Amino acid sequence: MSCTALENVLYEIENSDKLSKIKKSDTFFNIKSTSPSTGNAPKSIVTSHCYMAEEVHVKATKIPQSRNLTPVTIMVADTIGTVKSRRLLKVLLDSGSTTTLINKRCLPRKCQSCKTSQSRMVNTLAGNYQSSAMVVMRNLRLPELDKNRNIEQHKALIFESENCKYDVILGADFLTKTGIDVKYSTNTIEWFENELPLRDPHLLKDEDFASMATIIEIQQEVEFFGMDWYDPDCYAIEILDAKYEKVQIDEVVNQLEHLNIQ
């Protein structure tokens, strides 16, 4: 049977719903073989072959995407609005925000804020927040990046949100001022020679921020007291075993020259 005849037969079968999804563009084509031959065989062989292919539908598999890593760390401020602050601040470094914000819930008691001339809406990675007041934070430190480097002061707009997991959102104004570089190409935060990896914000809990603070405290204590204080196997002076022997009383009395006979 020729290829044309077979094509007509297949077309009729397709119309009768006995066989479906057969593409005519996939069923017939010619193959010309130009491979070298042996003996009396012709140099080139032209053969016609008929192929039947059934179209297969494959269900696409959705590949889950990994969560985005975020520049998150901790910060301490000596004073917020001229009031002493003892709170460990959870910080988001947001280069997309033009200004720095601080959550109202982390302001110390009796902290006096300043009203801004007009209300302002700020877009951040953590959401959009309205602000109409500001405060000044002084003597700021980011101990995970550099526990010895201080930022003298920085202004922050006050926003109010119970759902926001961050206490402070450091915007582009702070990052530019301090020279902190958030590098998504390497998933790191760089500040001079120091480097900190980005973190998954969905996996961070309050215990994780507390652990960051504990590590910083241990580093400071080791630096202040020395490794002898931290290492339980290190002693300043070796403790010798007690040694007991008979004492000559006359020799001991003669050594007491500061005492008189009376």
Side-chain angles (χ1 to χ4, degrees), residues 14 21 27 73 83 87 94 98 111 141 146 164 180 193:
E14 180 180 9
K21 299 185 182 302
T27 52
T73 184
V83 180
R87 181 170 183 145
D94 186 3
T98 57
C111 175
R141 288 190 299 118
D146 194 331
C164 182
I180 296 177
E193 70 279 1

Side-chain angles (χ1 to χ4, degrees), residues 242-259:
K243 183 179 181 180
Y244 299 98
E245 60 182 6
K246 186 177 179 179
V247 177
Q248 299 296 329
I249 299 178
D250 295 336
E251 293 180 0
V252 173
V253 171
N254 293 332
Q255 293 176 0
L256 305 176
E257 296 179 354
H258 61 285
L259 298 178

Side-chain angles (χ1 to χ4, degrees), residues 226-239:
M227 194 62 191
D228 294 346
W229 168 84
Y230 180 72
D231 190 353
D233 298 325
C234 183
Y235 303 98
I237 300 176
E238 183 180 2
I239 300 176

Side-chain angles (χ1 to χ4, degrees), residues 141-170:
R141 288 190 299 118
L142 299 168
E144 274 198 310
L145 283 168
D146 194 331
K147 60 181 180 295
N148 299 319
R149 194 181 299 274
N150 295 348
I151 296 91
E152 185 176 352
Q153 68 176 25
H154 194 74
K155 297 179 181 179
L157 295 177
I158 300 174
F159 74 98
E160 188 172 4
S161 174
E162 294 297 331
N163 298 325
C164 182
K165 64 177 65 177
Y166 305 108
D167 298 323
V168 177
I169 300 175
L170 299 175

Side-chain angles (χ1 to χ4, degrees), residues 187-201:
N187 289 332
T188 56
I189 307 169
E190 293 185 3
W191 196 17
F192 296 97
E193 70 279 1
N194 300 316
E195 189 176 277
L196 186 68
L198 302 187
R199 296 183 172 97
D200 188 343

Side-chain angles (χ1 to χ4, degrees), residues 2 18 55 61 81 87 92 111 119 132 143 148 175 191 240 251:
S2 65
K18 292 183 180 180
E55 186 177 10
T61 303
R87 181 170 183 145
L92 169 67
C111 175
S119 181
S132 58
N148 299 319
L175 301 179
W191 196 17
L240 302 177
E251 293 180 0

Side-chain angles (χ1 to χ4, degrees), residues 167-231:
D167 298 323
V168 177
I169 300 175
L170 299 175
D173 57 338
F174 181 88
L175 301 179
T176 304
K177 175 182 178 179
T178 58
I180 296 177
D181 189 5
V182 180
K183 303 184 70 173
Y184 288 96
S185 59
T186 58
N187 289 332
T188 56
I189 307 169
E190 293 185 3
W191 196 17
F192 296 97
E193 70 279 1
N194 300 316
E195 189 176 277
L196 186 68
L198 302 187
R199 296 183 172 97
D200 188 343
H202 301 279
L203 302 179
L204 287 176
K205 300 179 181 179
D206 292 338
E207 295 80 3
D208 299 319
F209 288 101
S211 299
M212 298 178 197
T214 302
I215 293 174
I216 299 301
E217 290 178 359
I218 293 176
Q219 292 176 352
Q220 292 176 341
E221 290 172 346
V222 169
E223 182 176 339
F224 181 78
F225 293 104
M227 194 62 191
D228 294 346
W229 168 84
Y230 180 72
D231 190 353

